[in-house]
Amino acid sequence: MALLDDWLSYVDDPSRFDRYHFESLMLELETRKHLEIAFSHLSGGLEFIERIIWLREQAAFNGTYLLSKPKEINSEIITLAELYRDCVADRLSELGDDEAVIIRKNPILKILKSQYKQYLKSGTLPFLEAMDTIGDDEIRVSSKKPRWRLGLHEAVYMMTTVPEVTRYIMSPFLHYPLNDEPATKLWLMGYRVDFTEDSTLLIMDDA
């Protein structure tokens, strides 16, 4: 497996390959055995392997993207949205961000993805900057980690372009201090979360 051999070499010396060389790595690592060869020797590697396997079991693997399975809104979904709202508020509070107080008290508001996109485009909802703030902070934290994380990030990015899910998968290596598991479970059910001054949006995929 040429790409697996390249990955093992890259971990020893990240200057040997461009990060984008590993975009299709996860397609080559089809079995637990392949994943263990690639990652079990790394600190956090065993937990990373379990998260990859769990994600593959939870969703259809079509080409390079994991596809969510839409589910009807129930109490579990609302609870996950509330939990992630509180996790985001906790992290923003640690960063000294004033939006933490706003987010913590906001109710859950269900909205279709098509409506959400219209509001984003028109600017008619008072969106907060919480997710951008966390994204910037994640970059700051991850910049202090080993350089091979860049190649692995590209491989994971080909599984999902959702930042919350990518953080959850990469967390055993990056240790970013935000619990993205609720957001990952929501994504698998066909939902995402965003924040306005008035509510926590539970965005339903209606595509």
Side-chain angles (χ1 to χ4, degrees):
M1 300 180 73
L3 196 55
L4 175 55
D5 291 337
D6 289 351
W7 164 255
L8 295 173
S9 176
Y10 177 74
V11 170
D12 290 333
D13 181 3
S15 67
R16 291 175 180 172
F17 296 98
D18 184 274
R19 61 190 291 182
Y20 301 106
H21 181 69
F22 299 100
E23 287 180 339
S24 61
L25 178 63
M26 289 303 174
L27 290 178
E28 184 167 309
L29 305 181
E30 295 180 312
T31 68
R32 177 183 286 272
K33 181 179 178 180
H34 294 153
L35 291 167
E36 288 176 349
I37 294 171
F39 306 115
S40 63
H41 63 293
L42 301 172
S43 177
L46 294 178
E47 184 180 356
F48 175 78
I49 290 168
E50 293 303 324
R51 292 191 181 196
I52 293 294
I53 292 172
W54 173 79
L55 200 65
R56 287 175 171 177
E57 290 174 345
Q58 297 301 311
F61 195 61
N62 183 357
T64 55
Y65 287 93
L66 287 166
L67 304 180
S68 57
K69 299 176 180 178
K71 295 185 177 181
E72 296 295 327
I73 290 180
N74 55 28
S75 59
E76 178 188 6
I77 290 173
I78 297 297
T79 298
L80 286 170
E82 292 173 339
L83 176 58
Y84 193 59
R85 173 196 63 195
D86 295 343
C87 289
V88 169
D90 287 344
R91 182 56 188 154
L92 291 175
S93 181
E94 292 168 354
L95 295 172
D97 193 298
D98 293 339
E99 289 187 352
V101 176
I102 300 173
I103 288 172
R104 199 180 301 279
K105 66 181 181 180
N106 276 349
I108 305 297
L109 175 65
K110 294 170 283 188
I111 185 173
L112 293 174
K113 185 176 181 180
S114 56
Q115 294 174 316
Y116 171 73
K117 287 184 175 181
Q118 290 175 357
Y119 285 130
L120 278 177
K121 185 176 181 179
S122 65
T124 52
L125 278 182
F127 285 97
L128 298 176
E129 297 180 358
M131 300 312 288
D132 289 336
T133 299
I134 286 173
D136 292 341
D137 183 54
E138 177 200 354
I139 293 173
R140 178 188 64 81
V141 171
S142 64
S143 67
K144 302 175 183 178
K145 304 300 180 179
R147 273 187 60 201
W148 52 257
R149 81 188 187 284
L150 298 173
L152 184 57
H153 186 276
E154 293 304 318
V156 170
Y157 193 71
M158 289 299 289
M159 297 178 68
T160 168
T161 58
V162 178
E164 307 95 279
V165 181
T166 302
R167 278 197 302 269
Y168 176 71
I169 299 172
M170 294 285 290
S171 182
F173 297 127
L174 301 183
H175 303 290
Y176 184 71
L178 169 64
N179 179 14
D180 284 298
E181 184 176 6
T184 300
K185 290 181 176 179
L186 284 171
W187 175 72
L188 287 167
M189 297 175 183
Y191 298 88
R192 289 189 67 188
V193 170
D194 202 351
F195 305 96
T196 74
E197 293 178 2
D198 307 312
S199 60
T200 295
L201 299 178
L202 178 58
I203 306 159
M204 302 176 283
D205 192 351
D206 59 342

